[in-house]
Amino acid sequence: MKHLAVLKPRYIRSLLDGDKTLESRFSVNRIPPYEKVRVGDTIYFKQSGGPVCVMAEAGRVELHDKLEVEDIKRLISKHRKAIACDDDHWKRKAKAKYATLVWLTDVRPIDDVTPVPDIPKLFGRAWLVLDNQPIESLPA
């Protein structure tokens, strides 16, 4: 399965630099990628307000539900370095009830000849499951 994740530019840089090795998604509701992403899936990363510029494979996936504040603190403490997010990010996730943790492998930049999925309108979403989306090459 294929997925699209939207990240701020600084997190795209962290992916490419190898500092960010774990993608995390915390949410109040059960929304993708929760229970949608699996080991071996391809994840395309789109820069917020910009292009799809990085791709990776899901190497390991962990799901957490019924999260309480202490659970979130424990996950932050354990994975802070690999997730590479700042304190403001964690403050915004304090009320999350669900978490998806995806360890990334084979992280690589997308160049002009790498096929990428056709991206539908996002409507503010930061994660899309792209299963059955056609793959097209970027224009030269």
Side-chain angles (χ1 to χ4, degrees), residues 4 29-30 49 72 76 83 89 92 97 107 113 122 125:
L4 176 74
N29 299 308
R30 252 182 149 137
I72 295 170
I76 292 167
I83 294 172
H89 172 80
R92 291 189 306 274
K97 296 299 177 194
V107 176
V113 296
L122 297 175
R125 294 173 291 184

Side-chain angles (χ1 to χ4, degrees), residues 16-97:
L16 292 171
D17 291 343
D19 297 329
K20 181 174 180 57
T21 58
L22 174 57
E23 178 59 20
S24 67
R25 296 294 165 133
F26 288 78
S27 60
V28 174
N29 299 308
R30 252 182 149 137
I31 58 173
Y34 192 83
E35 294 185 327
K36 299 295 183 187
V37 65
R38 306 234 187 302
V39 171
D41 285 0
T42 300
I43 304 167
Y44 294 91
F45 292 91
K46 179 188 179 308
Q47 183 173 302
S48 180
V52 176
C53 51
V54 178
M55 63 189 297
E57 185 175 310
R60 175 178 158 207
V61 177
E62 265 184 27
L63 303 177
H64 299 271
D65 64 359
K66 300 177 186 162
L67 292 172
E68 300 292 334
V69 172
E70 289 305 313
D71 299 318
I72 295 170
K73 287 180 181 178
R74 180 181 47 79
L75 288 170
I76 292 167
S77 176
K78 185 174 181 180
H79 301 296
R80 177 184 296 275
K81 184 176 179 187
I83 294 172
C85 287
D86 56 30
D87 289 337
D88 287 338
H89 172 80
W90 294 119
K91 287 177 187 172
R92 291 189 306 274
K93 302 303 176 182
K95 295 182 181 181
K97 296 299 177 194

